[in-house]
Structure formats: C-alpha cells, structure tokens
Amino acid sequence: MPVFSGMRGGRPRLGLSTWARILVWGSLAAATGYLVKAEVSRPDLPDGVLARRAVVYRVEGERRVALDLYRPEGASPRSGWPALVVIHGGGWRGGDRGEYGRSMAVLARRGIVVASIDYQLSRPDRPSWPVNLQDAREAVRWVRGHATMIEVDATRIAVLGSSAGGHLASLLSTRGDDDRPGPGVPSARVSGAVVLFGPSDLAALLRQSPGASESVELFLGGEPPTDGLLGAASPLTHVTGGDPPMLLIHGTDDPRVPLEQSEVLAEALAESGVPHRLIRVDGARHGFGLQPGGRDLEAEIHAFLQSVWGDGVPGEVL
C-alpha cells in the first residue's frame, strides 16, 4: 500500500576547555536560531499536498534519523513522481527538517515528492563531519530503495539545500556514491542539485568570512582544521566531468557565505564540462527563501528540474 494512503497533512566532570567549547556552542546556537528563522518561513501545508512526517530513514546504534515526505494529491504518474531531497541550513549545527520542509512543500504542487531530512548536527566535542554527509547519502538511498512504496521514480531523484544544506547538496552531487559498499546497495547518486548560498571552498571561506571559523571548527572537529580535512569537505575539490547538472543561487550581498563561493564552483563546473547555471540575486544577503525581493525562484528551480528530468515533470498541480 502506498505510504501516503489516507493521510494529510554519575556524570563525568567537564574540564575548562570543554566548558569553554560549550559556551561557544551556546552562543553559536543562539545565532543559528536567528539565521534559520531568516532562511525559511513557517507556512501552513499548501493546498493539494499530502504529508507523512517522522519517517526513520537511518538507524545507527541508538541514533535514529528521520525525514518528512510531501507529495501532490491524486494519482501518481505510471513511472512514479520525481523526488527532491531537501536539506536545511543552520551552520551545520542547527535547523530542522520540519520548518525547512514546510517551506519547500510548495514544490510538491509541481508534481514532485519532497523529502525533507534531518542529519547529524555539530556539538562541542562531537563534530558532524563526515556523518552528516553519510546521513544525506542514506536519505537518497532510502528514497530510491522505497521508490515503489512512496510512488517515486527511482531514476529521477535530485537534491536541494540552503547554506550548510547547500554545502551537503553540493557534496552529494560531487561525492554522492564514493562510499557505496556494493552492488546490492541503492545508489546515492542524484540526477541534479540546487544549491542556495552554499559554501564550496572551506579554506577560502575561513579567509573570506571572519564569523565562519567557529562553525567550521565545530563541523570538522579541528582547531584549526587541517588543509586535508578542509579539502575533503569542500565540494570544489571533488568536481569531475561526470557530475550531474547543478543550479547555483546566491545573493550578491551575502556577508556570511560570499558570492565568490558559488562563482568559483561555477568556474570549476564549466572547466569540467558539467551543465550548470548561476543565478545572482541582486542585493540579497544570506538566508533568503524562494521569493527574494519578488523574484520567483520557485519557477526557476522547477524549470531547472524539468531540464534535468525531462517532460515527465508536470506544471503546477492545483
């Protein structure tokens, strides 16, 4: 039965250095709350969209990682709906699938199943790298492995992310399947990526954005991170000619993740012959949604996905 049927809408003492890291993280978490609220709104579930929430897609020991699913009402195409895995931002340390998923659920009206995922977040003495990338891969594999149950076309799965989520979306595009253990495991490869104001070169980001060092250190677990670690976690390092098409969207006045981060990634994609497009949003800072200054990015994202998936993606379903 399809998954959407009938559904709507004696502790150890801490040393001084550990306490210092907790205080730093606490201040960062407060700042993250502001950024996440700026990045997305809290809309109600759009008309014509069905939802199933808190679906566990990965179990690792006692850790359970979940996603929320949104899809159009009505019968799916014979081959299934295309799917879009969406990844929230928040400096690799904050944010959640629920708020971000509700902001992206509008894309389900365009004939797409949207899977909004949680992933490992950074904490003092618990870096999130590389578990967060592994979580994102496993989310794609879960969608592909459960394609029949959730009425999805396993050949048409793309990814979209904002800020830190955009960084992970870029890595899925450039490194999606490089950990695949064997032929019996579904592929984590995506057919396209939409990246909103995501970092691509972490070493350069540390030079360009003074406020980035604490986030990057928590994320990678190094003080400061080594060049090798920065390179391994930078999408720019992994661009090859076989990568799927990518749509990059970035504000021209972004002080946290400068526009140059998307520009250098676009240059690398061009040099490798990867189809791509860079949309510069004039005057936009960090953390905008799908309608910055009246510009309809939703339509432009849909057009990109149509170019990736072909004519099987319908127009708006209302």
Side-chain angles (χ1 to χ4, degrees):
M1 176 180 293
V3 77
F4 289 97
S5 293
M7 300 195 67
R8 276 191 177 275
R11 290 180 287 180
R13 299 183 64 183
L14 300 177
L16 179 60
S17 61
T18 302
W19 279 117
R21 291 175 64 84
I22 290 174
L23 289 172
V24 168
W25 176 80
S27 63
L28 289 172
T32 296
Y34 171 79
L35 287 174
V36 171
K37 287 180 180 178
E39 181 180 312
V40 299
S41 59
R42 293 180 178 269
D44 294 328
L45 194 65
D47 291 339
V49 176
L50 304 177
R52 177 167 180 172
R53 297 184 173 90
V55 179
V56 174
Y57 73 84
R58 187 179 192 196
V59 178
E60 186 187 37
E62 296 183 357
R63 194 171 72 98
R64 283 164 169 73
V65 197
L67 57 78
D68 295 339
L69 290 167
Y70 305 88
R71 59 147 283 181
E73 286 185 327
S76 66
R78 181 174 299 179
S79 61
W81 303 107
L84 186 65
V85 175
V86 301
I87 311 175
H88 68 81
W92 303 285
R93 64 185 185 265
D96 65 80
R97 70 180 191 274
E99 189 171 22
Y100 195 63
R102 288 192 298 273
S103 73
M104 294 297 160
V106 65
L107 294 168
R109 297 191 305 173
R110 295 181 178 268
I112 300 167
V113 170
V114 176
S116 180
I117 72 169
D118 277 340
Y119 56 89
Q120 178 88 305
L121 299 178
S122 306
R123 295 291 184 267
D125 300 316
R126 192 196 73 185
S128 56
W129 174 262
V131 178
N132 48 15
L133 175 57
Q134 293 166 354
D135 285 344
R137 285 172 173 149
E138 292 306 312
V140 175
R141 289 179 176 136
W142 186 92
V143 170
R144 182 163 280 123
H146 292 78
T148 300
M149 183 178 72
I150 62 175
E151 302 175 85
V152 158
D153 181 349
T155 68
R156 295 188 294 165
I157 301 174
V159 63
L160 177 151
S162 301
S163 194
H167 165 262
L168 293 175
S170 299
L171 284 172
L172 270 180
S173 182
T174 58
R175 294 190 58 183
D177 238 11
D178 65 5
D179 71 331
R180 194 175 179 189
V185 176
S187 172
R189 184 169 173 80
V190 295
S191 52
V194 180
V195 180
L196 291 90
F197 40 88
S200 67
D201 182 348
L202 297 184
L205 181 66
L206 291 176
R207 297 191 299 269
Q208 296 164 350
S209 180
S213 59
E214 293 90 348
S215 294
V216 174
E217 287 175 7
L218 275 175
F219 164 51
L220 296 177
E223 299 181 0
T226 64
D227 290 343
L229 195 54
L230 289 167
S234 293
L236 184 66
T237 307
H238 304 285
V239 172
T240 64
D243 293 342
M246 192 177 295
L247 174 63
L248 307 174
I249 304 173
H250 215 121
T252 59
D253 294 346
D254 191 331
R256 301 192 67 88
V257 180
L259 172 61
E260 185 180 347
Q261 289 283 313
S262 286
E263 290 177 333
V264 296
L265 182 56
E267 291 171 3
L269 294 169
E271 290 172 0
S272 296
V274 178
H276 68 282
R277 180 187 176 198
L278 171 59
I279 296 176
R280 297 173 176 85
V281 182
D282 290 340
R285 295 172 68 83
H286 196 73
F288 51 84
L290 297 182
Q291 306 289 333
R295 182 167 186 169
D296 189 3
L297 291 179
E298 180 190 336
E300 297 190 68
I301 290 169
H302 181 244
F304 168 77
L305 294 174
Q306 282 185 306
S307 73
V308 169
W309 288 328
D311 294 336
V313 183
E316 194 164 17
V317 180
L318 296 175

mmCIF file of all heavy atoms in Angstrom, residues 20-49:
data_model
loop_
_atom_site.group_PDB
_atom_site.id
_atom_site.type_symbol
_atom_site.label_atom_id
_atom_site.label_comp_id
_atom_site.label_asym_id
_atom_site.label_seq_id
_atom_site.Cartn_x
_atom_site.Cartn_y
_atom_site.Cartn_z
ATOM 1 N N ALA A 20 34.413 25.750 27.977
ATOM 2 C CA ALA A 20 34.590 26.864 27.035
ATOM 3 C C ALA A 20 33.950 26.551 25.692
ATOM 4 O O ALA A 20 33.284 27.389 25.089
ATOM 5 C CB ALA A 20 36.085 27.167 26.853
ATOM 6 N N ARG A 21 34.118 25.311 25.238
ATOM 7 C CA ARG A 21 33.530 24.912 23.965
ATOM 8 C C ARG A 21 32.003 24.922 24.048
ATOM 9 O O ARG A 21 31.310 25.309 23.104
ATOM 10 C CB ARG A 21 34.027 23.523 23.551
ATOM 11 C CG ARG A 21 35.501 23.494 23.161
ATOM 12 C CD ARG A 21 35.961 22.065 22.891
ATOM 13 N NE ARG A 21 35.273 21.501 21.748
ATOM 14 C CZ ARG A 21 35.632 21.677 20.485
ATOM 15 N NH1 ARG A 21 36.687 22.441 20.206
ATOM 16 N NH2 ARG A 21 34.979 21.096 19.499
ATOM 17 N N ILE A 22 31.461 24.528 25.197
ATOM 18 C CA ILE A 22 30.009 24.533 25.356
ATOM 19 C C ILE A 22 29.469 25.954 25.320
ATOM 20 O O ILE A 22 28.434 26.236 24.715
ATOM 21 C CB ILE A 22 29.613 23.810 26.661
ATOM 22 C CG1 ILE A 22 29.886 22.307 26.526
ATOM 23 C CG2 ILE A 22 28.153 24.065 27.016
ATOM 24 C CD1 ILE A 22 29.673 21.538 27.813
ATOM 25 N N LEU A 23 30.199 26.893 25.984
ATOM 26 C CA LEU A 23 29.761 28.284 25.959
ATOM 27 C C LEU A 23 29.800 28.842 24.550
ATOM 28 O O LEU A 23 28.892 29.567 24.122
ATOM 29 C CB LEU A 23 30.640 29.123 26.899
ATOM 30 C CG LEU A 23 30.426 28.872 28.403
ATOM 31 C CD1 LEU A 23 31.492 29.616 29.206
ATOM 32 C CD2 LEU A 23 29.028 29.307 28.827
ATOM 33 N N VAL A 24 30.863 28.503 23.795
ATOM 34 C CA VAL A 24 30.956 28.947 22.401
ATOM 35 C C VAL A 24 29.790 28.389 21.608
ATOM 36 O O VAL A 24 29.118 29.094 20.853
ATOM 37 C CB VAL A 24 32.297 28.511 21.778
ATOM 38 C CG1 VAL A 24 32.268 28.710 20.263
ATOM 39 C CG2 VAL A 24 33.448 29.298 22.393
ATOM 40 N N TRP A 25 29.531 27.080 21.803
ATOM 41 C CA TRP A 25 28.437 26.466 21.058
ATOM 42 C C TRP A 25 27.102 27.110 21.420
ATOM 43 O O TRP A 25 26.256 27.334 20.573
ATOM 44 C CB TRP A 25 28.378 24.969 21.324
ATOM 45 C CG TRP A 25 27.196 24.353 20.642
ATOM 46 C CD1 TRP A 25 27.095 24.014 19.331
ATOM 47 C CD2 TRP A 25 25.933 24.053 21.235
ATOM 48 N NE1 TRP A 25 25.845 23.506 19.061
ATOM 49 C CE2 TRP A 25 25.117 23.526 20.217
ATOM 50 C CE3 TRP A 25 25.419 24.176 22.523
ATOM 51 C CZ2 TRP A 25 23.815 23.116 20.458
ATOM 52 C CZ3 TRP A 25 24.119 23.773 22.744
ATOM 53 C CH2 TRP A 25 23.339 23.255 21.729
ATOM 54 N N GLY A 26 26.915 27.429 22.708
ATOM 55 C CA GLY A 26 25.660 28.052 23.112
ATOM 56 C C GLY A 26 25.424 29.372 22.402
ATOM 57 O O GLY A 26 24.320 29.660 21.950
ATOM 58 N N SER A 27 26.469 30.189 22.298
ATOM 59 C CA SER A 27 26.310 31.468 21.605
ATOM 60 C C SER A 27 26.069 31.259 20.125
ATOM 61 O O SER A 27 25.277 31.973 19.501
ATOM 62 C CB SER A 27 27.555 32.346 21.820
ATOM 63 O OG SER A 27 28.704 31.739 21.264
ATOM 64 N N LEU A 28 26.737 30.241 19.549
ATOM 65 C CA LEU A 28 26.524 29.946 18.139
ATOM 66 C C LEU A 28 25.109 29.442 17.900
ATOM 67 O O LEU A 28 24.474 29.772 16.900
ATOM 68 C CB LEU A 28 27.530 28.889 17.666
ATOM 69 C CG LEU A 28 28.984 29.349 17.553
ATOM 70 C CD1 LEU A 28 29.873 28.154 17.259
ATOM 71 C CD2 LEU A 28 29.135 30.408 16.488
ATOM 72 N N ALA A 29 24.606 28.635 18.822
ATOM 73 C CA ALA A 29 23.251 28.103 18.656
ATOM 74 C C ALA A 29 22.224 29.230 18.648
ATOM 75 O O ALA A 29 21.250 29.202 17.894
ATOM 76 C CB ALA A 29 22.946 27.105 19.765
ATOM 77 N N ALA A 30 22.445 30.241 19.512
ATOM 78 C CA ALA A 30 21.520 31.377 19.521
ATOM 79 C C ALA A 30 21.549 32.104 18.187
ATOM 80 O O ALA A 30 20.508 32.467 17.639
ATOM 81 C CB ALA A 30 21.885 32.324 20.662
ATOM 82 N N ALA A 31 22.766 32.305 17.661
ATOM 83 C CA ALA A 31 22.882 32.958 16.357
ATOM 84 C C ALA A 31 22.258 32.104 15.267
ATOM 85 O O ALA A 31 21.632 32.616 14.336
ATOM 86 C CB ALA A 31 24.354 33.230 16.033
ATOM 87 N N THR A 32 22.422 30.808 15.378
ATOM 88 C CA THR A 32 21.849 29.900 14.379
ATOM 89 C C THR A 32 20.338 30.025 14.343
ATOM 90 O O THR A 32 19.731 30.017 13.280
ATOM 91 C CB THR A 32 22.240 28.445 14.696
ATOM 92 O OG1 THR A 32 23.647 28.328 14.579
ATOM 93 C CG2 THR A 32 21.569 27.483 13.728
ATOM 94 N N GLY A 33 19.704 30.137 15.521
ATOM 95 C CA GLY A 33 18.254 30.291 15.551
ATOM 96 C C GLY A 33 17.805 31.484 14.736
ATOM 97 O O GLY A 33 16.822 31.420 13.998
ATOM 98 N N TYR A 34 18.552 32.583 14.837
ATOM 99 C CA TYR A 34 18.215 33.769 14.054
ATOM 100 C C TYR A 34 18.361 33.502 12.568
ATOM 101 O O TYR A 34 17.496 33.849 11.758
ATOM 102 C CB TYR A 34 19.122 34.933 14.462
ATOM 103 C CG TYR A 34 18.988 36.141 13.559
ATOM 104 C CD1 TYR A 34 17.911 37.020 13.702
ATOM 105 C CD2 TYR A 34 19.926 36.384 12.560
ATOM 106 C CE1 TYR A 34 17.781 38.125 12.877
ATOM 107 C CE2 TYR A 34 19.795 37.481 11.724
ATOM 108 C CZ TYR A 34 18.732 38.347 11.892
ATOM 109 O OH TYR A 34 18.598 39.429 11.061
ATOM 110 N N LEU A 35 19.472 32.829 12.184
ATOM 111 C CA LEU A 35 19.711 32.569 10.773
ATOM 112 C C LEU A 35 18.662 31.652 10.181
ATOM 113 O O LEU A 35 18.176 31.861 9.076
ATOM 114 C CB LEU A 35 21.100 31.950 10.572
ATOM 115 C CG LEU A 35 22.286 32.887 10.755
ATOM 116 C CD1 LEU A 35 23.572 32.091 10.663
ATOM 117 C CD2 LEU A 35 22.260 33.989 9.715
ATOM 118 N N VAL A 36 18.314 30.603 10.916
ATOM 119 C CA VAL A 36 17.341 29.662 10.398
ATOM 120 C C VAL A 36 15.989 30.327 10.221
ATOM 121 O O VAL A 36 15.292 30.110 9.235
ATOM 122 C CB VAL A 36 17.235 28.428 11.313
ATOM 123 C CG1 VAL A 36 16.071 27.544 10.910
ATOM 124 C CG2 VAL A 36 18.536 27.632 11.267
ATOM 125 N N LYS A 37 15.601 31.191 11.171
ATOM 126 C CA LYS A 37 14.333 31.889 11.029
ATOM 127 C C LYS A 37 14.366 32.827 9.830
ATOM 128 O O LYS A 37 13.362 33.029 9.154
ATOM 129 C CB LYS A 37 14.019 32.672 12.296
ATOM 130 C CG LYS A 37 13.593 31.766 13.464
ATOM 131 C CD LYS A 37 13.287 32.567 14.705
ATOM 132 C CE LYS A 37 12.879 31.650 15.854
ATOM 133 N NZ LYS A 37 12.611 32.394 17.081
ATOM 134 N N ALA A 38 15.536 33.415 9.553
ATOM 135 C CA ALA A 38 15.638 34.275 8.380
ATOM 136 C C ALA A 38 15.609 33.466 7.096
ATOM 137 O O ALA A 38 15.116 33.925 6.074
ATOM 138 C CB ALA A 38 16.943 35.083 8.450
ATOM 139 N N GLU A 39 16.124 32.232 7.171
ATOM 140 C CA GLU A 39 16.253 31.427 5.961
ATOM 141 C C GLU A 39 14.912 30.909 5.474
ATOM 142 O O GLU A 39 14.683 30.771 4.283
ATOM 143 C CB GLU A 39 17.192 30.254 6.243
ATOM 144 C CG GLU A 39 17.437 29.336 5.072
ATOM 145 C CD GLU A 39 18.376 28.224 5.457
ATOM 146 O OE1 GLU A 39 19.420 28.513 6.066
ATOM 147 O OE2 GLU A 39 18.049 27.073 5.150
ATOM 148 N N VAL A 40 14.010 30.577 6.364
ATOM 149 C CA VAL A 40 12.739 29.991 5.961
ATOM 150 C C VAL A 40 11.606 30.617 6.758
ATOM 151 O O VAL A 40 11.810 31.210 7.804
ATOM 152 C CB VAL A 40 12.717 28.463 6.198
ATOM 153 C CG1 VAL A 40 13.782 27.779 5.387
ATOM 154 C CG2 VAL A 40 12.886 28.118 7.670
ATOM 155 N N SER A 41 10.422 30.504 6.222
ATOM 156 C CA SER A 41 9.228 30.913 6.950
ATOM 157 C C SER A 41 8.520 29.664 7.458
ATOM 158 O O SER A 41 8.979 28.559 7.258
ATOM 159 C CB SER A 41 8.314 31.718 6.011
ATOM 160 O OG SER A 41 7.953 30.922 4.902
ATOM 161 N N ARG A 42 7.370 29.845 8.109
ATOM 162 C CA ARG A 42 6.616 28.712 8.647
ATOM 163 C C ARG A 42 5.233 28.668 7.993
ATOM 164 O O ARG A 42 4.221 28.885 8.654
ATOM 165 C CB ARG A 42 6.463 28.857 10.170
ATOM 166 C CG ARG A 42 7.759 28.748 10.958
ATOM 167 C CD ARG A 42 7.468 28.900 12.440
ATOM 168 N NE ARG A 42 8.646 28.752 13.266
ATOM 169 C CZ ARG A 42 9.058 27.620 13.785
ATOM 170 N NH1 ARG A 42 8.402 26.524 13.534
ATOM 171 N NH2 ARG A 42 10.134 27.567 14.530
ATOM 172 N N PRO A 43 5.177 28.399 6.710
ATOM 173 C CA PRO A 43 3.861 28.379 6.078
ATOM 174 C C PRO A 43 3.074 27.145 6.476
ATOM 175 O O PRO A 43 3.628 26.135 6.896
ATOM 176 C CB PRO A 43 4.214 28.331 4.583
ATOM 177 C CG PRO A 43 5.536 27.616 4.555
ATOM 178 C CD PRO A 43 6.262 28.044 5.803
ATOM 179 N N ASP A 44 1.749 27.218 6.358
ATOM 180 C CA ASP A 44 0.923 26.044 6.506
ATOM 181 C C ASP A 44 1.177 25.120 5.322
ATOM 182 O O ASP A 44 1.713 25.530 4.297
ATOM 183 C CB ASP A 44 -0.551 26.435 6.561
ATOM 184 C CG ASP A 44 -0.880 27.235 7.815
ATOM 185 O OD1 ASP A 44 -0.240 26.994 8.860
ATOM 186 O OD2 ASP A 44 -1.765 28.102 7.716
ATOM 187 N N LEU A 45 0.746 23.873 5.451
ATOM 188 C CA LEU A 45 0.881 22.929 4.355
ATOM 189 C C LEU A 45 0.068 23.432 3.170
ATOM 190 O O LEU A 45 -1.119 23.756 3.315
ATOM 191 C CB LEU A 45 0.395 21.556 4.802
ATOM 192 C CG LEU A 45 0.746 20.375 3.911
ATOM 193 C CD1 LEU A 45 2.245 20.161 3.872
ATOM 194 C CD2 LEU A 45 0.046 19.117 4.408
ATOM 195 N N PRO A 46 0.667 23.535 1.987
ATOM 196 C CA PRO A 46 -0.073 24.072 0.834
ATOM 197 C C PRO A 46 -1.270 23.198 0.477
ATOM 198 O O PRO A 46 -1.268 21.984 0.699
ATOM 199 C CB PRO A 46 0.981 24.042 -0.289
ATOM 200 C CG PRO A 46 2.300 23.985 0.403
ATOM 201 C CD PRO A 46 2.072 23.231 1.666
ATOM 202 N N ASP A 47 -2.295 23.809 -0.100
ATOM 203 C CA ASP A 47 -3.436 23.054 -0.604
ATOM 204 C C ASP A 47 -2.957 22.058 -1.655
ATOM 205 O O ASP A 47 -2.057 22.346 -2.453
ATOM 206 C CB ASP A 47 -4.466 23.998 -1.233
ATOM 207 C CG ASP A 47 -5.162 24.868 -0.197
ATOM 208 O OD1 ASP A 47 -5.154 24.479 0.994
ATOM 209 O OD2 ASP A 47 -5.702 25.923 -0.585
ATOM 210 N N GLY A 48 -3.566 20.890 -1.637
ATOM 211 C CA GLY A 48 -3.230 19.899 -2.646
ATOM 212 C C GLY A 48 -1.986 19.099 -2.360
ATOM 213 O O GLY A 48 -1.473 18.401 -3.240
ATOM 214 N N VAL A 49 -1.461 19.186 -1.138
ATOM 215 C CA VAL A 49 -0.240 18.475 -0.775
ATOM 216 C C VAL A 49 -0.519 17.535 0.391
ATOM 217 O O VAL A 49 -1.149 17.935 1.382
ATOM 218 C CB VAL A 49 0.900 19.448 -0.401
ATOM 219 C CG1 VAL A 49 2.144 18.685 0.069
ATOM 220 C CG2 VAL A 49 1.246 20.339 -1.592
#
